[in-house]
Amino acid sequence: MNTAFPFPLSGRSVPFSLGRLGIVAGNTFLEAVRQKLFNFLLLLAVALVASAQLFREFNFGSSELKFISDFGFGAMVFFGSTLTIAATAQLFFSEIENRTALTILAKPIWRTEFIFGKFLGVFAVVGVFCALTTILLLGLLYHRETALMTANPEAFEAGRIIHYGDLVLMGVLQWLKFGVLAAFTLLIASFSNTNLYTVVMGFFVLVICHLQYLARDAYGSVASLPLRLLVQLLGYIFPNFQVFNLADQIGIGVGIDAAVFLRVAGYALIYIAVIGALAVYSFRNREI
Amino acid sequence: MTPNTPASAIEITGLTKDFSLNLRGVKLRAVENLTLTVPQGEVFGLLGPNGSGKSTTIKIILGLLEPTVGECKVFGVPSGRVDSRLNVGYLPEAPYFYRYLSGEELVRFYARICGVPKKVLKDRVREVIDWVGLTGASHRRVGTYSKGMLQRIGLAQALVHDPRLIILDEPTAGVDPVGSAEISELILKLKKQGKTVLITSHLLAQIEDICDRVAILDKGKLIVEGAVNDLVGLRDRQSLIVDSLPPAELDELRGWLAARGHVLNAVEQPRTRLDQLFLSKVSRPKKEGDSQ
Ligand SMILES: Nc1ncnc2c1ncn2[C@@H]1O[C@H](COP(=O)(O)OP(=O)(O)OP(=O)(O)O)[C@@H](O)[C@H]1O
Ligand SMILES: [Mg+2]
C-alpha cells in the first residue's frame, strides 16, 4: 500500500453531509438513466404528443386549446403518478434485493442521508419527466394557437390567449405533488418486504390523496360519527392532491395567483419533509 | 495512533441475536451469548459450518443488525454509531454491486461516500483496482463481471478508504486458486501494514496459512477460540523429508531410532498439494492483462 496515503479519518465524528446525500441521489439518478427508465419516459412523451395530435380536427378555437391543455395535464398526472410510484419502489428495492444496501450502509453514512438521497434521485427523475412533458405540451399549444390565429384572427383580437407562464407553474406544482407521492411510497418501502406490495400500497395512497376531498364533502356532515372521524383523520394524514389543480381553466382565462402558488408549494414541501422524516425513522430500525 | 486508542479492534460481549421468523413470535437464535475480542494488527479467522452465525455476527459488528442482547464495539465505539464505521472496510458474502456502473465508477462511488479527499481520489481508485488485478476490466460494466471478478472489485471497494479494520466475508468463494492465493498475499500485506483483518472462509487450509487467531462457531455458540499455532501445532512430533531413500537404509534408520528409544511413526510418500500443482501449472495472469 502506498504509505504516503493516510486519510485523517480516525477519531472523527461524522456530521450529516449534504455531499454524501448528493452522491447517493446522483447514483440513483444514474441508475434510472442507465437502466433505461428514460426510454420509457420518452415513449410516454411521444405517445402524449401523438394522441394530442388526434384532436387536431376539432378546431373549436379556444375550447380546443383548453382541451389540449386539460388532456396534456391529465396525461401528465396519470403517467407521472405511475412513474413516480414504480420508480420509487424500483430504485429502493434494487438496493435491498441486490444487497447493495449492505455495502453502502456499512460505510460511514447516515441512514437519513441514504433515504433522502434516494428521494432526491427519484425526485430528479420525475422532474425530468415533468419538464419534458410540460415543454412538449407548451410546444403543442403554441403550435396549435398559431395555426388557429391565422385561421380565424377575429377570435384572437387581443393576442394570444394562453398564459404560458402559468402552464409552467402548473408543471412545477405537479412535480411537487409527485414529490409528496414519492415520499409516501418511500415510507411504505422503508418497512415493506416486497416491491409489489409497495407499488400496490402506493397506488392506494394515490387514490386516497386524490379522492379524500370527495369523501369529506360527501360524508363530512351526513355520515355517522365514527365514519366522519375516519374521514377527518384521513384528511389530516393524507395530503389533498386536489389543491394542486390551481385552476379549472388551466392556463386559459384567470391566471395563477403567486401567493396561492407559494402556499401550495409550501404545503407540498412540508409534507415531503414530514413523510421523509417518518421514512427515515422507520428505515433506521430496518434490519438489512 | 493516538494514545487513547483501545487495544482491541473489535470487542463483542455477551452478544445474542434472535430473528423473529413470523408474527406469532417464533424466533431463531442465530448467535448466542458470544464474547469475542479481535486484537489490533492480527488476522482473525471466524469459522463455522453453514448457518452458524458468522455473517450475522459480522453484520452486527457493522451496525447493519441490532443485537438482541449484548454489545459490540469497534475501536471502542459502539457499533450502532455511524463513526464506528469510519475505519472499517467490508466485503459482503456473495457480493453484488450496482451493475450499471463500471468497475472504476463503482470504486469511485464508494470512495466518495467514505470521504476520500478529491485530490487523491483518482489515483487511489486506480491503485486499489490494480491491487486486485482488475485494471484491464475497470471500464467494463460490473454487470458483465464473473463471480471472482465481483469478489475482487468488492475487495477494492473495501480497501479504497484505507481502513484500519477490514472485514471479509468469504472473500475467496468463487475465486480461482490463483486469485485465492493472491488474496492471501494481499491479506498478509495488509497485516504487515498493521491492519486488522477479520475473515470468514470455508477454505481451512487458507485460513491456517494466514490467520493468527481463529474462533469457531457452531449453531451460534463459540466453541473454540485461540491462536492458530496453539490449536493445530503438534509439538511432540517432527517430520523428516528425505530424497529417494532406499528401503535398506530406511530399515537401518528405523533400527537407529529404535536403539535410542524412538519410534518411527509413519513413512509416507509426500505428495504435492493439488493447489500447489495448480499454481505451478496455470499461468499467473499479469495484473494488467487480467481477464482481458
Ligand atoms: N434476516 C434473517 N432472518 C431470519 N433468519 C436469518 C436471517 N439472517 C440469517 N438468519 C439465520 O441465522 C442463522 C445464521 O446465519 P448466518 O448467515 O450468520 O450463517 P453463516 O455462518 O454466515 O453461514 P454461511 O457459512 O452459510 O455463510 C441461519 O440459521 C440463518 O438462517
Ligand atoms: Mg455467511
Side-chain angles (χ1 to χ4, degrees):
Chain A
M1 199 176 293
N2 189 344
T3 42
F5 196 76
F7 302 127
L9 285 181
S10 42
R12 271 188 346 190
S13 67
V14 183
F16 178 84
S17 149
L18 282 177
R20 265 196 307 269
L21 195 157
I23 295 168
V24 174
N27 192 46
T28 307
F29 187 79
L30 191 66
E31 170 164 6
V33 173
R34 295 214 177 147
Q35 301 284 49
K36 313 276 193 288
L37 213 74
F38 275 100
N39 293 7
F40 172 68
L41 289 193
L42 218 64
L43 212 72
L44 285 188
V46 169
L48 192 72
V49 176
S51 47
Q53 285 299 97
L54 292 180
F55 300 103
R56 266 187 93 117
E57 303 311 319
F58 281 8
N59 214 348
F60 293 143
S62 72
S63 59
E64 184 197 338
L65 292 177
K66 173 174 160 26
F67 184 87
I68 295 179
S69 128
D70 283 353
F71 180 85
F73 276 106
M76 183 169 166
V77 168
F78 178 76
F79 289 121
S81 308
T82 311
L83 173 82
T84 303
I85 294 172
T88 310
Q90 173 58 31
L91 292 171
F92 179 84
F93 277 99
S94 75
E95 294 262 9
I96 302 290
E97 281 161 10
N98 297 334
R99 288 181 296 132
T100 48
L102 218 64
T103 317
I104 183 159
L105 293 174
K107 305 281 183 204
I109 181 173
W110 291 90
R111 292 200 178 186
T112 314
E113 293 163 353
F114 180 79
I115 283 289
F116 274 98
K118 282 279 145 199
F119 171 79
L120 271 192
V122 173
F123 200 41
V125 171
V126 178
V128 170
F129 170 80
C130 288
L132 211 70
T133 40
T134 306
I135 289 169
L136 268 170
L137 193 60
L138 292 190
L140 205 66
L141 282 170
Y142 190 85
H143 177 78
R144 224 26 226 148
E145 193 180 36
T146 314
L148 288 174
M149 278 168 91
T150 42
N152 46 344
E154 61 279 9
F156 292 87
E157 265 166 352
R160 293 185 176 272
I161 57 169
I162 299 178
H163 306 288
Y164 288 95
D166 285 355
L167 289 179
V168 172
L169 289 186
M170 269 304 284
V172 172
L173 285 183
Q174 298 315 303
W175 181 41
L176 288 171
K177 182 174 90 180
F178 294 145
V180 176
L181 185 60
F184 254 112
T185 313
L186 208 52
L187 171 61
I188 298 163
S190 69
F191 59 78
S192 90
N193 283 325
T194 65
N195 200 333
L196 186 65
Y197 176 83
T198 307
V199 169
V200 170
M201 289 304 285
F203 274 105
F204 204 60
V205 167
L206 175 68
V207 169
I208 293 179
C209 291
H210 266 296
L211 297 185
Q212 56 139 308
Y213 80 102
L214 285 180
R216 222 169 357 180
D217 287 355
Y219 299 121
S221 47
V222 292
S224 60
L225 189 66
L227 192 59
R228 219 156 58 207
L229 284 179
L230 177 74
V231 167
Q232 262 184 4
L233 191 71
L234 285 183
Y236 283 124
I237 297 175
F238 294 97
N240 178 4
F241 276 1
Q242 220 50 39
V243 304
F244 293 92
N245 287 341
L246 280 193
D248 277 337
Q249 298 263 21
I250 299 170
I252 300 175
V254 285
I256 291 179
D257 183 9
V260 174
F261 173 81
L262 288 179
R263 195 143 14 99
V264 174
Y267 179 78
L269 291 177
I270 288 173
Y271 256 104
I272 290 174
V274 172
I275 309 283
L278 285 177
V280 168
Y281 177 76
S282 126
F283 188 64
R284 276 248 281 273
N285 301 319
R286 186 183 181 121
E287 310 216 301
I288 303 299
Chain B
M1 249 175 250
T2 47
N4 61 359
T5 310
S8 43
I10 303 173
E11 215 178 315
I12 298 173
T13 26
L15 180 77
T16 296
K17 177 68 192 174
D18 290 335
F19 288 109
S20 24
L21 293 182
N22 58 26
L23 293 176
R24 263 171 284 131
V26 176
K27 293 203 166 144
L28 185 142
R29 183 150 289 187
V31 179
E32 186 166 345
N33 196 15
L34 175 68
T35 299
L36 197 66
T37 301
V38 177
Q40 280 199 42
E42 293 200 348
V43 180
F44 194 101
L46 197 55
L47 310 178
N50 292 136
S52 55
K54 305 181 295 292
S55 301
T56 305
T57 307
I58 285 178
K59 285 184 192 172
I60 290 170
I61 294 170
L62 291 162
L64 296 170
L65 296 177
E66 283 277 309
T68 310
V69 183
E71 62 169 13
C72 171
K73 286 181 175 173
V74 178
F75 295 116
V77 183
S79 65
R81 269 165 53 182
V82 175
D83 51 339
S84 75
R85 298 193 284 274
L86 271 176
N87 286 297
V88 184
Y90 169 52
L91 170 69
E93 65 183 330
Y96 191 91
F97 298 108
Y98 305 107
R99 46 184 302 123
Y100 50 90
L101 296 181
S102 75
E104 190 171 324
E105 286 171 332
L106 183 83
V107 178
R108 188 173 337 123
F109 169 74
Y110 287 118
R112 288 172 68 206
I113 291 285
C114 293
V116 173
K118 260 217 173 70
K119 58 182 193 298
V120 294
L121 185 66
K122 200 168 170 187
D123 291 339
R124 178 62 182 180
V125 168
R126 295 257 160 89
E127 189 182 26
V128 286
I129 288 181
D130 184 48
W131 285 347
V132 298
L134 277 182
T135 305
S138 66
H139 293 290
R140 266 166 51 188
R141 293 269 171 98
V142 171
T144 69
Y145 280 15
S146 72
K147 203 161 39 154
M149 291 165 84
L150 282 175
Q151 291 277 14
R152 288 161 188 249
I153 204 72
L155 204 55
Q157 65 75 29
L159 297 176
V160 71
H161 55 302
D162 196 23
R164 280 157 60 203
L165 168 66
I166 298 126
I167 298 181
L168 307 172
D169 200 350
E170 302 193 29
T172 49
V175 178
D176 61 51
V178 178
S180 169
E182 279 172 5
I183 289 176
S184 291
E185 269 170 44
L186 195 60
I187 290 172
L188 291 176
K189 232 193 280 175
L190 291 169
K191 184 191 164 185
K192 247 188 228 132
Q193 290 155 18
K195 312 280 183 201
T196 312
V197 180
L198 176 69
I199 179 176
T200 77
S201 172
H202 295 293
L203 298 181
L204 297 184
Q206 185 190 26
I207 289 288
E208 190 181 329
D209 287 345
I210 60 176
C211 287
D212 302 301
R213 296 178 78 78
V214 293
I216 303 182
L217 297 182
D218 189 24
K219 302 198 182 82
K221 286 188 215 132
L222 181 69
I223 49 176
V224 175
E225 202 243 314
V228 173
N229 288 337
D230 297 343
L231 294 176
V232 299
L234 293 176
R235 274 143 206 273
D236 50 357
R237 278 197 175 180
Q238 288 78 28
S239 63
L240 315 170
I241 295 178
V242 187
D243 284 341
S244 48
L245 187 71
E249 286 174 31
L250 177 64
D251 283 339
E252 226 174 284
L253 183 60
R254 209 185 293 266
W256 186 85
L257 284 170
R260 280 160 187 78
H262 301 302
V263 181
L264 183 61
N265 209 293
V267 179
E268 289 168 347
Q269 184 81 58
R271 297 196 307 180
T272 175
R273 270 159 57 179
L274 195 55
D275 56 341
Q276 272 156 10
L277 177 76
F278 187 98
L279 289 181
S280 67
K281 299 285 182 202
V282 173
S283 62
R284 284 199 161 209
K286 285 194 285 308
K287 282 211 162 165
E288 294 79 3
D290 181 65
S291 322
Q292 295 98 53

